[in-house]
Amino acid sequence: MIKKISIIGAGGVGSNLAFNILNNLSIEQLVLLDINHDQAKAVACDLEDTRGILDFSTQIKGVKNYSKIKDSDIVVFSAGIPRKEGMSRLDLLRINADIAKGAAAQIKKYSPKSIVIAITNPLDIITYLILKETKFSPKKVFGMGSSLDTSRLLNILSKETGKSASSCQAFVFGPHSKDMIVNSTARKQKIRKGTRETVKYRGAKIVKLFKNKSAVFGPSVACCKLIEAISHNKSQIIPVSVLLNGEYGIKNICLGARCLIDRSGIAKVIEEDLTVAQKRKLKKISFSLKETLKKI
Ligand code: APR
């Protein structure tokens, strides 16, 4: 039974996720933690103001101190800073990596039995850093990325074919970046190159349109569905960024893979039948992720 969920980073994604949680799960406590205390408190107040209409019993807190996340069943990491002018991607990565490592140490201290879900980008790196810093079981630390990419893919396929999204059989795995791998699970369903490209650049398109922020609804709904799978012990197959341990000949790096999600976290990593080219691509990506990790 999930009683307490804490969200680190009460920005666009964190606050929208909190609203999704309130609408979909009955939990005792929902904690929003942000370095900007006023931001966390404002989001908590705004969310609380829906109680008179939605009639939930969840206690909501906007906090700054990590002691308040004590004994959370699930902790979501959605904190970070956006890239500023003159800042390289590596500079940004170093800053967000430090924020993630700092948060992970606190999660380990106050919620040692929690399941941790990372959302902050670059997702596969951040997930890996949180896993290493907490030293939690790899079954309990994973990243939300490929399930959002899959939702984006199913949306496009649904619009192309006129079928419902749930009847389109395809998914995305590998890195949560433009190098993601788009896979069809239906023999007759070929995925066009144009469709693959649209999925790969969907997140970037949203950033370009917003100019100063990234997607909110997609990431938060995808994360809420992961939390529901855990909370309701669904044994549902969802692609998440997970520590690979020999799958595809890759070890010690986090990448998106379809996993069986239940109350324990990741109950099983599903190893796909890959083409030689796909295997080679994954190996190349894991090498480049390892090189990036050396720089931070
Ligand atoms: N501790 C706690 N919170 C922090 C810290 C920190 N050290 N540093 C920054 N934050 C908070 C910010 O104050 C902000 O409220 O993290 C929040 C991030 O929110 P936004 O800037 O609105 O970013 P958001 O759109 O929510 O995206 C968060 O999710 O999808 C990914 O790419 C996205 O990496 C990004 C992350």
Side-chain angles (χ1 to χ4, degrees):
M1 179 72 180
I2 299 292
K3 289 185 178 168
K4 179 169 176 176
I5 299 176
S6 294
I7 301 172
I8 317 295
V13 173
S15 55
N16 202 273
L17 169 63
F19 188 54
N20 269 286
I21 291 171
L22 280 180
N23 277 300
N24 289 288
L25 286 140
S26 281
I27 56 167
E28 286 176 14
Q29 271 193 74
L30 182 57
V31 176
L32 291 126
L33 183 148
D34 203 288
I35 195 165
N36 179 346
H37 193 188
D38 284 347
Q39 162 87 11
K41 283 197 291 189
V43 172
C45 288
D46 194 6
L47 288 168
E48 274 198 316
D49 290 348
T50 66
R51 190 191 307 276
I53 300 159
L54 300 177
D55 202 22
F56 50 80
S57 58
T58 308
Q59 188 189 54
I60 307 166
K61 281 186 185 155
V63 308
K64 191 181 176 185
N65 293 328
Y66 274 93
S67 59
K68 301 289 192 315
I69 71 161
K70 195 174 185 306
D71 296 334
S72 299
D73 300 293
I74 297 176
V75 180
V76 176
F77 180 75
S78 56
I81 61 151
R83 190 147 68 125
K84 297 190 181 115
E85 237 185 311
M87 196 187 262
S88 74
R89 282 187 191 280
L90 192 59
D91 290 340
L92 177 73
L93 171 56
R94 285 190 175 125
I95 294 171
N96 283 339
D98 280 347
I99 297 174
K101 284 194 265 183
Q106 300 292 326
I107 295 167
K108 182 181 173 142
K109 180 174 177 187
Y110 290 109
S111 292
K113 292 184 179 158
S114 61
I115 290 174
V116 186
I117 305 173
I119 303 185
T120 299
N121 282 307
L123 197 257
D124 302 299
I125 299 257
I126 296 290
T127 306
Y128 181 84
L129 293 175
I130 295 177
L131 177 65
K132 291 293 154 183
E133 188 69 37
T134 54
K135 298 192 176 72
F136 286 2
S137 155
K139 291 177 181 300
K140 296 180 80 185
V141 180
F142 42 96
M144 188 297 300
S146 299
S147 63
L148 168 60
D149 296 326
T150 299
S151 177
R152 287 173 168 161
L153 170 66
L154 296 180
N155 165 53
I156 297 163
L157 290 176
S158 165
K159 291 204 294 185
E160 280 177 1
T161 61
K163 290 184 192 165
S164 67
S166 63
S167 63
C168 297
Q169 293 172 34
F171 67 98
V172 178
F173 70 104
H176 181 54
S177 71
K178 63 173 178 37
D179 292 323
M180 66 182 74
I181 302 177
V182 175
N183 228 16
S184 171
T185 42
R187 268 203 205 145
K188 286 183 189 160
Q189 187 170 284
K190 278 254 177 259
I191 300 173
R192 292 186 309 113
K193 187 160 184 263
T195 306
R196 292 171 195 263
E197 293 302 299
T198 307
V199 178
K200 287 178 186 179
Y201 294 102
R202 187 73 166 182
K205 177 184 176 177
I206 293 170
V207 173
K208 200 172 167 205
L209 288 167
F210 273 136
K211 293 179 183 66
N212 56 356
K213 61 176 205 156
S214 49
V216 165
F217 300 124
S220 45
V221 166
C223 185
C224 190
K225 290 298 151 197
L226 267 177
I227 293 174
E228 284 177 61
I230 297 164
S231 177
H232 304 323
N233 200 18
K234 280 190 180 174
S235 293
Q236 193 176 345
I237 294 173
I238 304 178
V240 292
S241 183
V242 58
L243 186 80
L244 295 182
N245 188 22
E247 293 86 357
Y248 316 114
I250 298 170
K251 271 190 173 180
N252 206 26
I253 205 79
C254 291
L255 278 174
R258 288 199 298 175
C259 293
L260 200 68
I261 308 288
D262 67 13
R263 180 62 189 87
S264 67
I266 294 177
K268 190 180 174 202
V269 181
I270 297 166
E271 193 165 351
E272 313 292 340
D273 258 344
L274 299 190
T275 62
V276 175
Q278 284 175 327
K279 271 191 193 162
R280 206 180 300 134
K281 189 174 172 186
L282 276 186
K283 279 242 167 101
K284 206 173 146 197
I285 289 156
S286 72
F287 178 76
S288 124
L289 284 174
K290 283 182 182 170
E291 288 301 303
T292 305
L293 278 165
K294 284 182 195 163
K295 294 181 195 154
I296 51 177

